[in-house]
Amino acid sequence: MRLRQINKKEFETFCKASPLSNFFQTKEYAELKRKEGYHTYFVGLDDSGRLLAATLLISSEFTITKKRVFFCPRGYIIDYRNQELLNTFTKELVAYVKEKKGILIKITPNLMLKERDKNGELVSGGMNNSKCVENLLDIGYKRISSYYLVNPNFLYTLDLKGKNNEEIYENISSDVKSIIERNEKIGITISKIEKEDSDKFLSILRNCSNRIDYFKKNDKSYKNVISILSNYNMIDVITAELDIDKYLEVTRRSLENVLNDNDLSAQVQKQLEIINSLQYKYGHKVSLGTLLAVSYNNQYLTLCIAGMDKFKNFDPISTLIWESIKRAKKLSATKYIFYGMDINLEKENNLIHYYQKFNGKAVELIGEYDFVIDQRYYQKYLKKQEKIKNKK
């Protein structure tokens, strides 16, 4: 067995066949990172012409020394239960990285640790990959604390396989269904944002503090994502818009139905005043929120969900998620993946309390690990990470 650089086609074919397949281990994600100035490599463990493991490597440099940090986002693509294979791949990879002045290899495997239900509770007798963690630690990988995590360790997924829209909708909580139906009634619609209109997406995003996003308020990164992934038909960007004229019409009809009830009539009159002010300020339509997702290998991954602060009473996020679930089904996705949640599932404002209303399940990944090659420069790297964390 030997490690070698592999071409994009070899890499893609191998990864797509693996249960660990994910967007962050793709040639398209590599292209995004190169656009941001990183070096990228595709490597695989070859056994007489057959690949047994592979990964996308992304590296960045220290400015003066040119020492490098190597990162395998949501990788490796390997059988983590096979300690001998994992050990061989690690040794070969360390030798490869050393030649390129690498000081460490960071991995964030796309592998579930222990099976959890929709509320984040452990499933009795469920899948357990603790052995994979033991294998990594035995080989010499260092587990990273939650404070330093590069990627979230908890996701939320919704199984779409074999289900039609009606079945999925039936399992959504009643309060979210009420919001979705009300929003449709008053004129909230979903429209697609095309590649050339990426500024519209960014302008909405800038007015949203209520947001969950992968790129941490980096406009340039999002522009690259939309520009590059549009070329591969992998990106889906949508916005929720309020048709103010329809909202006004629906509310006027409501007033006619409550004229004999003074209290309700006063409430509707007040609502009409608010709508008239919206119409005066925004005209016929106004954007309420946006969602950006990536479609890859039957997976639909949300990288950004955001609602405009001033319109949070409409809860556009519920509508955006439901519409994107329907879009995922049209794209033949079998899994809908909500981006990360807080590691502390008990936190009152944790996203799990929102996501669970869609009746999926929480996914705890096995964590983030560093394989240290140069201890001295690794300490410098940690100090640099500490400074970055303290600025946030």
Side-chain angles (χ1 to χ4, degrees), residues 129-148:
N129 285 315
S130 296
K131 175 62 178 171
C132 301
V133 174
E134 292 173 17
N135 287 343
L136 286 165
L137 297 176
D138 286 347
I139 290 169
Y141 287 86
K142 173 185 175 183
R143 191 165 191 176
I144 303 305
S145 72
S146 60
Y147 179 76
Y148 288 103

Side-chain angles (χ1 to χ4, degrees), residues 5 37-41 57-71 94 96-106 371-374 377-378 381 384:
Q5 284 195 219
Y38 293 89
H39 303 278
T40 64
Y41 311 88
L57 284 169
I58 296 169
S59 76
S60 59
E61 288 181 346
F62 284 87
T63 307
I64 299 173
T65 63
K66 301 302 180 183
K67 295 285 187 180
R68 290 189 185 183
V69 172
F70 282 79
F71 178 40
V94 167
Y96 178 84
V97 165
K98 273 184 174 179
E99 289 182 359
K100 300 184 182 304
K101 293 190 173 183
I103 63 164
L104 83 136
I105 303 169
K106 179 179 287 292
F371 194 95
V372 181
I373 297 170
D374 187 319
Y377 278 97
Y378 180 65
Y381 165 77
K384 184 178 179 182

Side-chain angles (χ1 to χ4, degrees), residues 3 39 69 76 90 96 106 263 265 270 296 308 346 366:
L3 188 84
H39 303 278
V69 172
Y76 314 127
T90 300
Y96 178 84
K106 179 179 287 292
D263 288 338
S265 181
K270 188 174 181 180
Y296 170 74
M308 297 271 278
E346 300 303 317
I366 68 169

Side-chain angles (χ1 to χ4, degrees), residues 290-341:
T290 189
L291 181 148
L292 179 147
V294 170
S295 177
Y296 170 74
N297 202 21
N298 298 322
Q299 300 171 19
Y300 190 94
L301 169 67
T302 61
L303 291 181
C304 176
I305 307 174
M308 297 271 278
D309 299 347
K310 63 181 81 172
F311 301 120
K312 62 183 177 183
N313 56 306
F314 291 107
D315 192 359
I317 288 176
S318 290
T319 295
L320 283 162
I321 291 175
W322 170 236
E323 290 298 323
S324 65
I325 288 171
K326 292 191 288 184
R327 294 170 76 88
K329 283 294 295 179
K330 281 186 178 179
L331 293 167
S332 300
T334 56
K335 183 184 288 186
Y336 185 101
I337 307 171
F338 297 83
Y339 190 60
M341 304 180 301

Side-chain angles (χ1 to χ4, degrees), residues 58-92:
I58 296 169
S59 76
S60 59
E61 288 181 346
F62 284 87
T63 307
I64 299 173
T65 63
K66 301 302 180 183
K67 295 285 187 180
R68 290 189 185 183
V69 172
F70 282 79
F71 178 40
C72 306
R74 294 296 182 223
Y76 314 127
I77 307 299
I78 192 172
D79 179 2
Y80 288 89
R81 289 184 173 274
N82 187 335
Q83 188 174 33
E84 184 180 348
L85 177 64
L86 186 59
N87 191 38
T88 300
F89 187 60
T90 300
K91 285 181 177 178
E92 292 284 322

Side-chain angles (χ1 to χ4, degrees), residues 180 182-192 200 238-244 246 284-290 316 319-320 323 327:
I180 293 168
R182 178 210 64 188
N183 284 354
E184 183 178 4
K185 181 181 176 182
I186 66 173
I188 293 178
T189 58
I190 298 295
S191 60
K192 183 175 175 64
K200 180 179 180 180
I238 57 177
T239 180
E241 294 181 318
L242 173 64
D243 184 330
I244 301 174
K246 183 174 179 179
H284 301 292
K285 284 190 175 183
V286 62
S287 295
L288 308 179
T290 189
T319 295
L320 283 162
E323 290 298 323
R327 294 170 76 88

Side-chain angles (χ1 to χ4, degrees), residues 78-334:
I78 192 172
D79 179 2
Y80 288 89
R81 289 184 173 274
N82 187 335
Q83 188 174 33
E84 184 180 348
L85 177 64
L86 186 59
N87 191 38
T88 300
F89 187 60
T90 300
K91 285 181 177 178
E92 292 284 322
L93 199 57
V94 167
Y96 178 84
V97 165
K98 273 184 174 179
E99 289 182 359
K100 300 184 182 304
K101 293 190 173 183
I103 63 164
L104 83 136
I105 303 169
K106 179 179 287 292
I107 64 173
T108 57
N110 186 42
L111 180 65
M112 180 191 297
L113 177 57
K114 294 179 181 179
E115 190 172 357
R116 294 179 180 268
D117 62 18
K118 71 174 185 177
N119 300 316
E121 301 293 335
L122 289 171
V123 174
S124 178
M127 184 183 293
N128 187 334
N129 285 315
S130 296
K131 175 62 178 171
C132 301
V133 174
E134 292 173 17
N135 287 343
L136 286 165
L137 297 176
D138 286 347
I139 290 169
Y141 287 86
K142 173 185 175 183
R143 191 165 191 176
I144 303 305
S145 72
S146 60
Y147 179 76
Y148 288 103
L149 288 181
V150 172
N151 291 146
N153 206 44
F154 279 86
L155 305 174
Y156 201 82
T157 65
L158 184 61
D159 183 15
L160 306 180
K161 191 173 183 179
K163 300 174 185 175
N164 59 37
N165 289 346
E166 290 73 22
E167 290 170 316
I168 297 168
Y169 191 71
E170 183 61 30
N171 285 316
I172 295 175
S173 70
S174 58
D175 56 333
V176 169
K177 283 193 280 193
S178 295
I179 291 166
I180 293 168
E181 289 162 13
R182 178 210 64 188
N183 284 354
E184 183 178 4
K185 181 181 176 182
I186 66 173
I188 293 178
T189 58
I190 298 295
S191 60
K192 183 175 175 64
I193 296 178
E194 303 293 347
K195 174 181 177 180
E196 56 273 16
D197 295 324
S198 60
D199 284 338
K200 180 179 180 180
F201 165 76
L202 294 172
S203 68
I204 298 170
L205 214 54
R206 291 186 196 108
N207 291 290
C208 300
S209 61
N210 180 26
R211 57 193 271 187
I212 310 113
D213 57 327
Y214 178 76
F215 291 103
K216 311 296 182 190
K217 303 182 180 180
N218 190 325
D219 285 4
K220 185 177 179 181
S221 293
Y222 273 124
K223 270 193 173 263
N224 288 340
V225 166
I226 295 171
S227 174
I228 291 171
L229 297 188
S230 291
N231 298 332
Y232 301 100
N233 295 316
M234 291 175 65
I235 195 80
D236 202 15
V237 190
I238 57 177
T239 180
E241 294 181 318
L242 173 64
D243 184 330
I244 301 174
D245 296 337
K246 183 174 179 179
Y247 188 23
L248 185 60
E249 179 188 338
V250 169
T251 308
R252 280 174 176 162
R253 285 204 302 267
S254 297
L255 180 61
E256 293 171 4
N257 295 329
V258 298
L259 286 175
N260 295 326
D261 187 319
N262 290 335
D263 288 338
L264 285 176
S265 181
Q267 289 177 29
V268 176
Q269 284 282 10
K270 188 174 181 180
Q271 189 63 33
L272 281 171
E273 292 173 13
I274 293 171
I275 298 169
N276 282 323
S277 67
L278 285 174
Q279 199 171 48
Y280 177 78
K281 187 171 183 179
Y282 299 105
H284 301 292
K285 284 190 175 183
V286 62
S287 295
L288 308 179
T290 189
L291 181 148
L292 179 147
V294 170
S295 177
Y296 170 74
N297 202 21
N298 298 322
Q299 300 171 19
Y300 190 94
L301 169 67
T302 61
L303 291 181
C304 176
I305 307 174
M308 297 271 278
D309 299 347
K310 63 181 81 172
F311 301 120
K312 62 183 177 183
N313 56 306
F314 291 107
D315 192 359
I317 288 176
S318 290
T319 295
L320 283 162
I321 291 175
W322 170 236
E323 290 298 323
S324 65
I325 288 171
K326 292 191 288 184
R327 294 170 76 88
K329 283 294 295 179
K330 281 186 178 179
L331 293 167
S332 300
T334 56

